[in-house]
Amino acid sequence: MRPHLAAILSAPLVAASLALAPASAQEGGSGKNFWSGDWSVTVGASGAFRPEFEGSRSHLFSLVPLVSVGRQGNDRRFSSRNDNGSFALFGGYGFEAGLTGKFLFKRDADDANDLKGLDPVKWGVEAGGFAEVYPTDWLRVRGELRHGFRAHSGFVADVAADAFYDVTPHIRISGGPRASFASKDYFETYYGVNAREAAASGLSEYQPDGGGLKSLGVGGAVTWKVTDAFTSSVFAEYASLKGAAADSSLVRERGSRNQFTIGLSSSYRFDFTLD
């Protein structure tokens, strides 16, 4: 499997992804430059009802533009909207591993009234590694381990298994379980409530005891390839907060352990060639 680069940025207003494969004289058209060859640009939008913040009981609707750029013929066997940006360093025989990263947006009282009195969380990034394997032709298991920078200084690990089946040549259904783990530093940043914050917010003081399981859930999607270039999908995700996240006073007193997301996305691919 050829190495590829995919960077995904998602927010209420912006989302983008970039996919690159190594260029060679054979792959790159004239072979004069690394960008030579056949490329595709995919544009679209995704709209979803999602929690106002992780742990919130209230939902909001967000419309997310989608943009991706990649080499033609570099499609992956399966990809999920939960995959973070990744750069594959090793691959072959149903296995792939490499680097991954995630952009974290700030969280403050402007996002939700339930956050008033709590210290804002700065924007930041999580960087680390990923590995995915295909035990069968219809199942992918993927894991990511990331370390936070600026927003938090903890570790986060995500594991997901997705079974996928082509009902027709144009319609695919997919879904499976998800699990997320986090360290104490992560929980302190997003779920801790110190004495000063408790006095300002009215929440009970809460100090996470340590790291561990953050959530368990399930997700799925139905994808319809309307034409060779136009694709649309309906997706849904459910996560139940566990451990230090579920025990937080922010969740117990103002939020919910149950986190739901449901949405629809559509995209259109434009093909072009660079010399």
Side-chain angles (χ1 to χ4, degrees):
M1 184 177 294
R2 295 182 299 176
H4 65 276
L5 173 64
I8 301 175
L9 174 65
S10 62
L13 295 178
V14 179
S17 66
L18 175 65
L20 296 177
S24 66
Q26 290 75 27
E27 297 174 322
S30 64
K32 295 179 180 179
N33 303 293
F34 77 90
W35 59 79
S36 300
D38 298 325
W39 293 80
S40 296
V41 174
T42 302
V43 296
S46 175
F49 286 97
R50 61 175 181 81
E52 288 184 330
F53 58 89
E54 188 177 88
S56 174
R57 63 185 173 188
S58 300
H59 290 70
L60 57 79
F61 178 79
S62 62
L63 185 62
V64 182
L66 303 172
V67 180
S68 69
V69 181
R71 284 193 181 277
Q72 295 180 35
N74 194 41
D75 294 335
R76 303 175 66 184
R77 192 186 309 181
F78 176 81
S79 62
S80 166
R81 62 179 297 273
N82 297 310
D83 297 350
N84 288 300
S86 57
F87 179 55
L89 299 176
F90 311 99
Y93 303 102
F95 173 80
E96 190 170 79
L99 305 177
T100 187
K102 179 180 181 179
F103 188 88
L104 304 174
F105 289 87
K106 68 179 182 67
R107 192 197 74 174
D108 56 29
D110 291 336
D111 297 322
N113 290 331
D114 289 336
L115 297 173
K116 288 184 177 178
L118 301 181
D119 292 341
V121 178
K122 300 177 181 178
W123 66 265
V125 297
E126 291 173 353
F130 83 95
E132 62 182 45
V133 61
Y134 290 85
T136 71
D137 289 337
W138 50 266
L139 178 67
R140 188 197 70 165
V141 179
R142 178 182 172 101
E144 296 184 7
L145 177 62
R146 308 180 303 274
H147 183 270
F149 298 93
R150 197 173 189 269
H152 68 88
S153 57
F155 285 91
V156 177
D158 296 324
V159 181
D162 286 277
F164 50 95
Y165 176 71
D166 293 332
V167 181
T168 74
H170 304 289
I171 298 178
R172 166 176 286 184
I173 57 174
S174 61
R178 287 90 167 86
S180 185
F181 305 82
S183 67
K184 182 178 179 179
D185 288 335
Y186 176 92
F187 286 129
E188 286 180 340
T189 299
Y190 287 95
Y191 292 98
V193 181
N194 59 37
R196 177 176 49 78
E197 290 176 306
S201 66
L203 293 168
S204 301
E205 189 174 349
Y206 174 71
Q207 179 68 32
D209 293 331
L213 182 63
K214 180 167 76 79
S215 68
L216 289 174
V218 64
V222 178
T223 303
W224 178 25
K225 198 170 183 63
V226 185
T227 67
D228 186 53
F230 180 50
T231 301
S232 185
S233 67
V234 177
F235 56 85
E237 298 278 339
Y238 167 74
S240 175
L241 297 180
K242 303 294 183 180
D247 293 338
S248 171
S249 57
L250 175 61
V251 175
R252 288 185 291 105
E253 298 173 13
R254 292 186 184 172
S256 173
R257 295 185 178 189
N258 300 309
Q259 304 286 284
F260 296 92
T261 299
I262 185 169
L264 170 70
S265 67
S266 294
S267 63
Y268 191 88
R269 189 191 74 242
F270 298 90
D271 298 330
F272 63 97
T273 300
L274 293 177
D275 294 328

